Amino acid sequence: MDQKPLHISNRTPLLDRINVPADLRRFPESDLRQISDELRAELIDAVSITGGHFGAGLGVVELTVALHHVFETPHDRLIWDVGHQAYPHKILTGRRDRIRTIRQGGGLSGFTKRSESEYDPFGAAHSSTSISAGLGMAVARDFKGERRNVIAVIGDGAMSAGMAYEAMNNAGSMDARLIVILNDNDMSIAPPVGAMSAYLSRLLSSKSFLSLRHLAGEVARHLPKRLEHAARRAEELARSFVTGGTLFEELGFYYVGPIDGHNIDHLLPVLKNIRNSTETGPVLIHVVTEKGHGYLSAEQADDKWHSVAKFDVVTGAQAKTSSKAPSYTTVFAKSLIQEAEKDERIVAIGAAMPSGTGLNLFGDKFPKRCFDVGIAEQHAVTFAAGLAAEGMKPFAAIYSTFLQRAYDQVVHDVAIQKLPVRFAIDRAGLVGADGQTHSGSFDLAYLGVLPGFIIMAAGDEAELMHMVATCAAIDDAPSAVRFPRGDGMGVAMPEFGVPLEIGRGRIMREGTSIALLSLGGRLAECLKAAQELGAYGLSTTVADARFAKPLDTDLINRLVREHEVVITIEEGSIGGFGSHVLHYLATTGALDHGLKIRTMVLPDVFLEHDSPVAQYDTAGLNARHIVATALAALGREIAELPARA
């Protein structure tokens, strides 16, 4: 049944009576349509104030209401894959009063989080983990002799990842009872969804059919092998003809669907049938939804408003941030386009984040040279390695946090074979509202230990242009350039990127007492700190290392030789650039003679979501922290600075 776009109202009389799902379960089924409408209105109003993930949540409003009405959450475990779709779930599970703090400092996480609520049994912000986690919970339940349902809700985008199929293959070979709901809002495998499909889904999920199927299976077992096989195939073919579930059946799942995910009357009987079934083994319920459903501006947008800034509910106009500097992501994309115009061997590979990495711009210019492989980072890296092995120049544009998922491929398929895959690592450092799961904290450490890797970090947007050109020129080793989220510093931009000399940094400001050796996006804070240190009478050098590997040992030796204090600053964890500098100085004996050296890195904690400025303040990596570190190394305190007029 088609639903018209919702007319927004601030009146939520039924939703106001729901604090937790137990309250929802006291309502008759006839009220669930209105509750869904009110829940959608609340979601729209909340995200218009905070911004955040939006389209996926709008698409699962009815499904969320139905799941919490049918199942006994939190006793029954409900796992939301990724968490983009979990905002309505948060509103219904005791967090409505805080929903307008989502992704804000001290507020709710934008993703599911175990420490936040008992209704979040498994935290997730990287996709495709729900089926594996759910299977683990189901097996644990059976070991303990408990009775509870385990339900994993996974989006069709997450089904592009190999991990989902690894989990399904494992689950299909076991008797553990697991319910997987495929939230299909973009897949082409779904046949038309309507009354006949709803009827068949109710029939196939009913106890009588499941029992009949079990009986038929028992009978078939006693037939000669040839006839048993024929009988089973006949049933599979009959069911796949009307449902399209062949793939999932082959993986060992009992398939039900497709079902209209916006029709409460279609959802409830199927969910209740599955809940009440005593059959063992995994079940997949195929639910078809529409991203952005019920809000016209989102429905009509190409990306269905996957993630939004604050917006006007009536007009749909999103708040725009003004900046005179281009974003690092845009600079990367335009730089790569420039290089590709000069070299037809350059191709780009992404993993389901074309706009986030700028590859949408590259793809518009070179559609046949741009490959989005879906949420499949492991495949993306080895695919790039194969391209490099045949003489192409692949750029793999993957967020730092997502590249973690393909580490073995980086080591085994790229580094060991010395293949010139170029990694464009966006979201390096802290990322703000997405929080700990999306922070690019570890790539310097996990790539820096790999022999032969060339690793760069852009201190400003002009340097990023040069580093993209450098990657394009490197044809005998793997390389990486990391850059932060957000806008650049507003520096003058060159017309073209020029390859840098490998392993050579640059001096940004000359001084004699303190040396600040920066790698990456803290360069502006280092320059600011140098100004403040000047007020203390401390002449300060600021150097941009540019390369984490190979180190510019000449630059390091000079800074050590000519300054009383040397401080390295990076937006990465321990084990990164500063550790490599310390190791070099230790092995050369430079630490044997009273050198005052400090390394400033991200703290050894997973930092909570907040604004980037606040996160870096918590991390101790802003200018005032650099100043305090320099003064402390000299035995002085920051309070010694005379008050300014």
Side-chain angles (χ1 to χ4, degrees):
M1 184 173 67
D2 292 332
Q3 301 288 338
K4 294 181 180 180
L6 182 75
H7 175 69
I8 303 301
S9 171
N10 289 326
R11 298 184 62 190
T12 54
L14 300 187
L15 187 64
D16 291 345
R17 292 160 54 190
I18 300 170
N19 183 48
V20 292
D23 301 327
L24 172 66
R25 290 190 280 271
R26 284 192 279 269
F27 281 87
E29 293 180 5
S30 57
D31 284 342
L32 298 188
R33 175 71 266 168
Q34 182 178 338
I35 291 171
S36 297
D37 290 343
E38 293 180 13
L39 177 58
R40 180 171 279 110
E42 176 72 355
L43 174 64
I44 292 169
D45 185 70
V47 180
S48 75
I49 294 170
T50 65
H53 297 106
F54 190 49
L58 286 174
V60 296
V61 167
E62 289 82 6
L63 178 60
T64 305
V65 170
L67 285 169
H68 280 298
H69 191 269
V70 170
F71 292 98
E72 294 288 329
T73 55
H75 176 74
D76 288 335
R77 308 301 195 216
L78 178 57
I79 306 166
W80 294 92
D81 206 283
V82 181
H84 294 159
Q85 49 191 342
Y87 289 21
H89 161 79
K90 294 199 176 200
I91 293 171
L92 291 178
T93 54
R95 288 170 277 185
R96 183 186 179 189
D97 61 338
R98 292 179 288 156
I99 197 65
R100 287 163 183 77
T101 70
I102 201 162
R103 292 163 53 89
Q104 316 294 312
L108 295 177
S109 169
F111 306 99
T112 53
K113 192 172 183 180
R114 281 172 55 84
S115 61
E116 187 177 284
S117 171
E118 63 178 334
Y119 292 93
D120 293 357
F122 199 80
H126 289 185
S127 84
S128 317
T129 62
S130 62
I131 303 176
S132 298
L135 181 58
M137 291 180 179
V139 170
R141 169 202 62 203
D142 295 344
F143 266 119
K144 295 187 289 184
E146 296 173 342
R147 293 183 60 84
R148 62 163 51 95
N149 291 289
V150 179
I151 309 104
V153 184
I154 183 167
D156 55 65
M159 289 295 287
S160 66
M163 183 176 179
Y165 294 96
E166 293 172 19
M168 292 188 74
N169 184 57
N170 188 200
S173 66
M174 304 172 68
D175 287 331
R177 179 175 165 75
L178 171 67
I179 301 168
V180 174
I181 296 178
L182 170 58
N183 173 27
D184 171 4
N185 53 40
D186 198 34
M187 292 177 77
S188 59
I189 64 171
V193 177
M196 179 59 74
S197 177
Y199 169 74
L200 288 169
S201 296
R202 287 198 301 273
L203 174 65
L204 294 172
S205 62
S206 66
K207 184 175 182 180
S208 58
F209 188 93
L210 290 168
S211 299
L212 182 62
R213 184 174 189 248
H214 177 73
L215 176 62
E218 287 298 305
V219 171
R221 274 199 317 117
H222 292 89
L223 293 173
K225 283 293 180 186
R226 182 172 59 83
L227 293 179
E228 177 191 3
H229 178 71
R232 293 189 187 280
R233 289 299 297 157
E235 190 220 10
E236 288 177 11
L237 288 171
R239 296 180 72 251
S240 65
F241 177 75
V242 295
T243 66
T246 306
L247 170 64
F248 306 112
E249 291 278 357
E250 291 296 330
L251 287 169
F253 275 69
Y254 184 79
Y255 174 91
V256 177
I259 308 165
D260 182 352
H262 301 299
N263 192 319
I264 291 285
D265 294 332
H266 290 188
L267 286 169
L268 289 176
V270 172
L271 293 177
K272 286 190 289 186
N273 282 343
I274 295 299
R275 178 197 64 190
N276 297 336
S277 170
T278 57
E279 296 294 312
T280 60
V283 177
L284 184 134
I285 304 174
H286 184 174
V287 175
V288 178
T289 64
E290 178 191 28
K291 261 188 174 182
H293 186 81
Y295 186 64
L296 194 59
S297 296
E299 290 179 351
Q300 294 177 340
D302 289 340
D303 64 353
K304 302 296 183 184
W305 276 24
H306 169 72
S307 183
V308 296
K310 300 175 184 179
F311 64 92
D312 183 280
V313 173
V314 177
T315 66
Q318 295 190 47
K320 295 182 179 179
T321 56
S322 58
S323 174
K324 296 179 180 179
S327 72
Y328 281 99
T329 301
T330 300
V331 171
F332 161 70
K334 291 182 176 179
S335 302
L336 186 59
I337 289 169
Q338 280 190 346
E339 297 301 321
E341 287 171 338
K342 297 184 291 184
D343 191 337
E344 63 182 13
R345 292 181 298 160
I346 289 177
V347 294
I349 299 100
M353 300 295 291
S355 59
T357 57
L359 290 193
N360 58 324
L361 303 177
F362 185 90
D364 290 343
K365 182 75 174 178
F366 302 107
K368 293 184 178 180
R369 293 159 65 182
C370 188
F371 304 92
D372 183 353
V373 303
I375 304 175
E377 293 86 0
Q378 292 172 297
H379 165 62
V381 171
T382 304
F383 174 49
L387 285 161
E390 290 297 319
M392 300 298 285
K393 289 189 169 183
F395 278 75
I398 303 174
Y399 289 5
S400 171
T401 182
F402 297 149
L403 188 58
Q404 294 165 187
R405 310 188 81 179
Y407 188 59
D408 180 63
Q409 286 68 31
V410 174
V411 177
H412 181 268
D413 300 334
V414 176
I416 289 177
Q417 302 188 90
K418 300 182 175 64
L419 288 170
V421 175
R422 297 114 180 125
F423 293 94
I425 303 176
D426 203 333
R427 287 4 184 225
L430 303 177
V431 296
D434 281 337
Q436 54 197 209
T437 55
H438 282 58
S439 291
S441 306
F442 309 115
D443 57 274
L444 284 170
Y446 68 66
L447 293 180
V449 297
L450 301 180
F453 235 94
I454 297 170
I455 305 169
M456 295 167 274
D460 59 49
E461 59 269 41
E463 283 294 286
L464 179 55
M465 283 191 70
H466 297 315
M467 289 176 180
V468 172
T470 306
C471 285
I474 297 170
D475 220 9
D476 59 353
S479 58
V481 53
R482 74 189 308 256
F483 47 96
R485 182 178 190 172
D487 297 329
M489 293 169 55
V491 301
M493 297 294 287
E495 185 176 358
F496 298 101
V498 178
L500 303 172
E501 182 181 355
I502 303 300
R504 285 289 175 263
R506 58 176 178 157
I507 298 291
M508 305 295 295
R509 170 186 170 131
E510 292 277 9
T512 57
S513 181
I514 308 292
L516 305 179
L517 179 56
S518 174
L519 180 79
R522 295 289 87 195
L523 181 60
E525 291 297 305
C526 287
L527 291 168
K528 182 179 176 182
Q531 285 285 111
E532 295 183 16
L533 285 166
Y536 287 89
L538 296 172
S539 177
T540 302
T541 294
V542 177
D544 178 9
R546 284 176 164 165
F547 291 83
K549 194 172 186 178
L551 290 174
D552 187 345
T553 55
D554 290 342
L555 175 61
I556 293 170
N557 289 336
R558 177 189 163 188
L559 296 178
V560 167
R561 185 171 60 248
E562 297 177 0
H563 299 81
E564 187 176 355
V565 176
V566 176
I567 303 172
T568 67
I569 302 98
E570 64 195 291
E571 46 197 357
S573 69
I574 189 172
F577 173 65
S579 297
H580 284 263
V581 172
L582 280 176
H583 183 78
Y584 167 73
L585 293 174
T587 56
T588 59
L591 300 181
D592 299 347
H593 308 293
L595 171 67
K596 295 183 176 66
I597 184 164
R598 303 290 186 269
T599 57
M600 298 184 69
V601 298
L602 293 176
D604 192 28
V605 297
F606 289 107
L607 289 167
E608 297 289 344
H609 57 279
D610 208 329
S611 69
V613 171
Q615 281 189 317
Y616 278 114
D617 212 49
T618 302
L621 286 177
N622 285 333
R624 67 185 183 92
H625 306 104
I626 299 170
V627 170
T629 299
L631 293 175
L634 295 171
R636 297 171 60 179
E637 295 181 1
I638 202 165
E640 292 179 17
L641 182 64
R644 294 174 181 172

